[in-house]
mmCIF file of all heavy atoms in Angstrom:
data_model
loop_
_atom_site.group_PDB
_atom_site.id
_atom_site.type_symbol
_atom_site.label_atom_id
_atom_site.label_comp_id
_atom_site.label_asym_id
_atom_site.label_seq_id
_atom_site.Cartn_x
_atom_site.Cartn_y
_atom_site.Cartn_z
ATOM 1 N N GLU V 542 -0.199 34.994 4.119
ATOM 2 C CA GLU V 542 -0.682 36.380 4.184
ATOM 3 C C GLU V 542 -1.766 36.541 5.245
ATOM 4 O O GLU V 542 -1.799 37.535 5.972
ATOM 5 C CB GLU V 542 -1.239 36.814 2.822
ATOM 6 C CG GLU V 542 -0.204 36.934 1.726
ATOM 7 C CD GLU V 542 0.788 38.079 1.940
ATOM 8 O OE1 GLU V 542 0.472 39.013 2.703
ATOM 9 O OE2 GLU V 542 1.880 38.013 1.350
ATOM 10 N N LEU V 543 -2.649 35.555 5.317
ATOM 11 C CA LEU V 543 -3.740 35.631 6.299
ATOM 12 C C LEU V 543 -3.172 35.621 7.717
ATOM 13 O O LEU V 543 -3.678 36.322 8.603
ATOM 14 C CB LEU V 543 -4.714 34.460 6.106
ATOM 15 C CG LEU V 543 -5.541 34.480 4.804
ATOM 16 C CD1 LEU V 543 -6.167 33.115 4.547
ATOM 17 C CD2 LEU V 543 -6.620 35.560 4.865
ATOM 18 N N GLU V 544 -2.119 34.833 7.918
ATOM 19 C CA GLU V 544 -1.505 34.762 9.247
ATOM 20 C C GLU V 544 -0.722 36.036 9.551
ATOM 21 O O GLU V 544 -0.835 36.604 10.634
ATOM 22 C CB GLU V 544 -0.576 33.539 9.332
ATOM 23 C CG GLU V 544 -1.326 32.226 9.386
ATOM 24 C CD GLU V 544 -0.423 31.017 9.582
ATOM 25 O OE1 GLU V 544 0.805 31.135 9.367
ATOM 26 O OE2 GLU V 544 -0.953 29.954 9.948
ATOM 27 N N LYS V 545 0.064 36.471 8.577
ATOM 28 C CA LYS V 545 0.924 37.647 8.759
ATOM 29 C C LYS V 545 0.097 38.872 9.127
ATOM 30 O O LYS V 545 0.535 39.722 9.894
ATOM 31 C CB LYS V 545 1.665 37.902 7.431
ATOM 32 C CG LYS V 545 2.989 38.573 7.549
ATOM 33 C CD LYS V 545 3.883 38.340 6.325
ATOM 34 C CE LYS V 545 3.196 38.523 4.985
ATOM 35 N NZ LYS V 545 4.069 38.202 3.839
ATOM 36 N N THR V 546 -1.095 38.951 8.556
ATOM 37 C CA THR V 546 -1.930 40.122 8.766
ATOM 38 C C THR V 546 -2.939 39.909 9.890
ATOM 39 O O THR V 546 -3.791 40.763 10.131
ATOM 40 C CB THR V 546 -2.683 40.472 7.465
ATOM 41 O OG1 THR V 546 -3.367 39.299 7.011
ATOM 42 C CG2 THR V 546 -1.707 40.922 6.385
ATOM 43 N N GLY V 547 -2.845 38.773 10.551
ATOM 44 C CA GLY V 547 -3.694 38.540 11.707
ATOM 45 C C GLY V 547 -5.131 38.182 11.391
ATOM 46 O O GLY V 547 -5.985 38.174 12.276
ATOM 47 N N VAL V 548 -5.414 37.893 10.132
ATOM 48 C CA VAL V 548 -6.796 37.532 9.768
ATOM 49 C C VAL V 548 -7.147 36.164 10.339
ATOM 50 O O VAL V 548 -8.258 35.940 10.817
ATOM 51 C CB VAL V 548 -6.983 37.553 8.237
ATOM 52 C CG1 VAL V 548 -8.402 37.132 7.859
ATOM 53 C CG2 VAL V 548 -6.676 38.941 7.692
ATOM 54 N N ILE V 549 -6.168 35.242 10.272
ATOM 55 C CA ILE V 549 -6.346 33.954 10.942
ATOM 56 C C ILE V 549 -5.192 33.767 11.924
ATOM 57 O O ILE V 549 -4.087 34.264 11.682
ATOM 58 C CB ILE V 549 -6.408 32.749 9.957
ATOM 59 C CG1 ILE V 549 -5.118 32.622 9.130
ATOM 60 C CG2 ILE V 549 -7.611 32.860 9.044
ATOM 61 C CD1 ILE V 549 -5.035 31.348 8.311
ATOM 62 N N PRO V 550 -5.420 33.064 13.023
ATOM 63 C CA PRO V 550 -4.334 32.826 13.987
ATOM 64 C C PRO V 550 -3.275 31.900 13.386
ATOM 65 O O PRO V 550 -3.578 31.090 12.526
ATOM 66 C CB PRO V 550 -5.053 32.165 15.170
ATOM 67 C CG PRO V 550 -6.328 31.635 14.632
ATOM 68 C CD PRO V 550 -6.685 32.468 13.435
ATOM 69 N N THR V 551 -2.044 32.051 13.850
ATOM 70 C CA THR V 551 -0.946 31.240 13.299
ATOM 71 C C THR V 551 -0.841 29.923 14.058
ATOM 72 O O THR V 551 0.121 29.656 14.746
ATOM 73 C CB THR V 551 0.403 31.969 13.427
ATOM 74 O OG1 THR V 551 0.517 32.410 14.772
ATOM 75 C CG2 THR V 551 0.489 33.136 12.508
ATOM 76 N N ILE V 552 -1.860 29.112 13.947
ATOM 77 C CA ILE V 552 -1.867 27.878 14.701
ATOM 78 C C ILE V 552 -2.167 26.670 13.849
ATOM 79 O O ILE V 552 -1.832 25.562 14.207
ATOM 80 C CB ILE V 552 -2.915 27.898 15.834
ATOM 81 C CG1 ILE V 552 -4.271 28.278 15.279
ATOM 82 C CG2 ILE V 552 -2.484 28.804 16.964
ATOM 83 C CD1 ILE V 552 -5.412 27.893 16.164
ATOM 84 N N THR V 553 -2.790 26.892 12.723
ATOM 85 C CA THR V 553 -3.360 25.763 11.996
ATOM 86 C C THR V 553 -2.313 25.069 11.146
ATOM 87 O O THR V 553 -1.723 25.663 10.274
ATOM 88 C CB THR V 553 -4.509 26.239 11.097
ATOM 89 O OG1 THR V 553 -5.276 27.149 11.863
ATOM 90 C CG2 THR V 553 -5.368 25.084 10.686
#
Side-chain angles (χ1 to χ4, degrees):
E542 293 292 339
L543 292 165
E544 288 185 343
K545 208 159 46 184
T546 53
V548 178
I549 60 171
T551 50
I552 53 161
T553 317

